[in-house]
């Protein structure tokens, strides 16, 4: 299937989600709230983007309507609409993006490079991304990097991760050329250089897979497992009920004797603290499997860990978040 104004998707979209015909009211609400009409983005293209991100999320699963609806409701749909409009070549959307995000991208680049935002290095790293975001190629062959944004994170978070990838690409390339200039004339590449990202080298090109991706993911999973094990039992139980048991805020509130708003605030607090703990542990380094040791990761490498985990690495929440009978008993004992 070719990309057309009617479907707005590429051939071979994964998964079994299919058309969102059962969720037209939700699609209508998200389309209205996304501001897509501001950019002249047709509803059909916005709906196609929702179908595509749902297909990427669920893969070969056949999720029910409620599960799809819950997932779509968590998306950053305003950012998704802007990205779709930019990918379609809408000049108003592109002008808005450049005016609103150039400063942030330079600030993110400065944090990655640890230099001032107005420095030539930060400006070069940030501005070098605009050509790929606008789109490589002409006419129907034009391919924008925005097509790889699925709305699961904010557009700013995604842009920062892409910038981190580009920076690591540049480091790896420079080191490769330096090593090729050895005194003996033979290539001598570093054996344990982590976090070389998968990189899309051009229109229609296949991604180059990071050779250290598996090791990074193993280190991330081990770090996450340890961090979860250190959580307060009640916080862990709340996470288990929400993510593994897929219960609603109201159901969790009844089980733990908390108001829905308290459940929501506590989940957000726990997620924030958990991410901070995982990031700190990744920067310190540690053991992957009890034998091999990974050195402390840089900010770019940490960003890649989270991106890889979000992309295609299944996390067994039932194993990581087993049912805590202690937390349940404590909650039950507080009920009148």
């Amino acid at each position: 299937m070719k990309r057309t104004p009617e479907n707005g998707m590429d051939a071979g979209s994964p998964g079994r989600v299919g058309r969102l015909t059962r969720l037209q009211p939700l699609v209508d609400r998200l389309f209205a709230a996304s501001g897509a009409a501001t950019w002249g983005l047709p509803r059909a293209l916005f709906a196609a983007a929702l179908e595509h991100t749902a297909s990427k999320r669920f893969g070969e699963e056949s999720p029910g309507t409620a599960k799809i609806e819950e997932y779509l409701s968590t998306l950053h749909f305003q950012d998704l609409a802007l990205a779709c409009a930019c990918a379609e070549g809408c000049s108003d959307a592109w002008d808005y993006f450049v005016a609103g995000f150039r400063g942030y991208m330079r600030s993110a680049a400065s944090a990655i490079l640890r230099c001032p935002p107005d420095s030539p290095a930060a400006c070069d790293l940030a501005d070098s991304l605009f050509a790929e975001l606008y789109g490589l190629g002409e006419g129907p062959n034009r391919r924008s990097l925005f097509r790889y944004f699925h709305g699961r994170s904010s557009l700013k978070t995604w842009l920062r991760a892409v910038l981190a990838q580009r920076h690591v690409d540049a480091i790896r390339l420079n080191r490769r050329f330096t090593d090729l200039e050895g005194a003996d004339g033979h290539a001598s590449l570093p054996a344990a250089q982590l976090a070389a990202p998968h990189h899309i080298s051009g229109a229609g090109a296949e991604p180059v897979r990071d050779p250290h991706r598996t090791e990074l993911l193993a280190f991330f999973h081990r770090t996450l497992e340890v961090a979860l094990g250190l959580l307060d039992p009640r916080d862990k139980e709340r996470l288990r009920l929400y993510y593994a048991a897929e219960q609603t805020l109201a159901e969790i509130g009844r089980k733990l004797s908390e108001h829905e708003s308290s459940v929501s605030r506590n989940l957000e607090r726990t997620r924030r603290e958990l991410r901070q703990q995982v990031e700190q542990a990744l920067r310190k380094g540690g053991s992957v499997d009890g034998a091999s040791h990974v050195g402390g990761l840089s900010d770019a490498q940490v960003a890649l860990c989270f991106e890889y985990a979000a992309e295609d690495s299944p996390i067994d929440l039932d194993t990581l978040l087993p049912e805590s009978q202690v937390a349940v008993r404590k909650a039950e004992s507080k009920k009148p």
Side-chain angles (χ1 to χ4, degrees):
M1 181 188 298
K2 294 183 178 179
R3 182 180 176 83
T4 69
E6 288 73 28
N7 60 54
M9 296 174 65
D10 289 331
S13 294
R16 300 176 181 176
V17 173
R19 296 285 180 182
L20 302 178
T21 53
R22 297 167 295 174
L23 298 173
Q24 293 308 307
L26 174 63
V27 174
D28 289 338
R29 290 198 301 272
L30 294 181
F31 178 74
S34 70
T38 304
W39 318 121
L41 183 71
R43 180 190 178 284
L45 290 183
F46 181 74
L50 294 179
E51 292 170 4
H52 190 52
T53 185
S55 295
K56 293 288 289 184
R57 162 62 179 83
F58 294 106
E60 291 303 315
E61 293 182 38
S62 297
T65 299
K67 195 169 184 178
I68 298 175
E69 182 173 2
E70 182 180 6
Y71 168 70
L72 293 179
S73 298
T74 66
L75 295 177
H76 296 258
F77 43 84
Q78 292 177 332
D79 286 350
L80 182 61
L82 176 61
C84 288
C86 287
E88 291 299 316
C90 174
S91 58
D92 289 343
W94 179 254
D95 291 343
Y96 176 87
F97 171 75
V98 173
F101 285 82
R102 185 191 292 273
Y104 170 78
M105 290 173 65
R106 289 183 173 179
S107 295
S110 73
I112 293 170
L113 298 174
R114 299 183 181 180
C115 63
D118 58 352
S119 66
C123 292
D124 286 347
L125 176 58
D127 294 352
S128 67
L129 202 60
F130 278 97
E132 290 181 83
L133 289 169
Y134 184 75
L136 303 174
E138 299 293 337
N141 294 321
R142 178 173 167 272
R143 294 174 65 88
S144 168
L145 194 62
F146 276 122
R147 293 174 55 255
Y148 296 91
F149 175 70
H150 301 302
R152 287 179 287 182
S153 65
S154 70
L155 187 54
K156 286 185 175 181
T157 298
W158 180 79
L159 288 168
R160 185 184 180 98
V162 174
L163 285 170
Q165 290 183 22
R166 296 300 183 266
H167 175 52
V168 174
D169 274 341
I171 292 176
R172 188 164 179 255
L173 182 62
N174 289 336
R175 288 181 177 176
R176 177 175 297 172
F177 282 121
T178 299
D179 292 330
L180 286 172
E181 294 173 355
D184 58 0
H186 295 288
S188 176
L189 301 182
Q193 177 62 33
L194 290 176
H198 60 293
H199 178 65
I200 300 168
S201 57
E206 290 295 324
V208 178
R209 190 172 181 82
D210 177 2
H212 304 290
R213 185 186 186 108
T214 300
E215 188 173 6
L216 279 173
L217 281 171
F219 186 30
F220 175 84
H221 282 184
R222 175 56 183 159
T223 302
L224 177 61
E225 182 179 3
V226 172
L228 285 170
L230 296 175
L231 284 178
D232 178 84
R234 190 174 180 85
D235 288 339
K236 188 188 297 186
E237 178 68 6
R238 199 180 291 109
L239 287 176
R240 186 194 70 81
L241 291 171
Y242 188 75
Y243 290 104
E246 298 183 349
Q247 294 189 8
T248 66
L249 297 178
E251 290 172 333
I252 297 172
R254 287 193 295 270
K255 183 165 289 188
L256 299 183
S257 299
E258 294 180 354
H259 191 275
E260 285 185 54
S261 61
S262 297
V263 175
S264 178
R265 287 195 300 270
N266 284 325
L267 282 171
E268 176 60 29
R269 170 186 56 78
T270 303
R271 285 192 295 261
R272 183 174 61 253
E273 293 175 353
L274 187 63
R275 184 181 180 100
Q276 291 173 351
Q277 292 169 6
V278 170
E279 288 180 347
Q280 291 174 2
L282 291 174
R283 291 189 179 98
K284 289 180 180 179
S287 174
V288 176
D289 53 11
S292 58
H293 182 86
V294 176
L297 305 185
S298 67
D299 289 344
Q301 292 168 334
V302 170
L304 286 176
C305 280
F306 280 94
E307 183 192 356
Y308 288 165
E311 278 183 352
D312 60 4
S313 177
I315 297 176
D316 188 352
L317 292 176
D318 290 331
T319 300
L320 292 178
L321 296 169
E323 184 171 4
S324 172
Q325 295 299 328
V326 174
V328 173
R329 285 196 296 270
K330 286 183 178 179
E332 293 291 340
S333 66
K334 293 183 178 181
K335 291 183 179 181

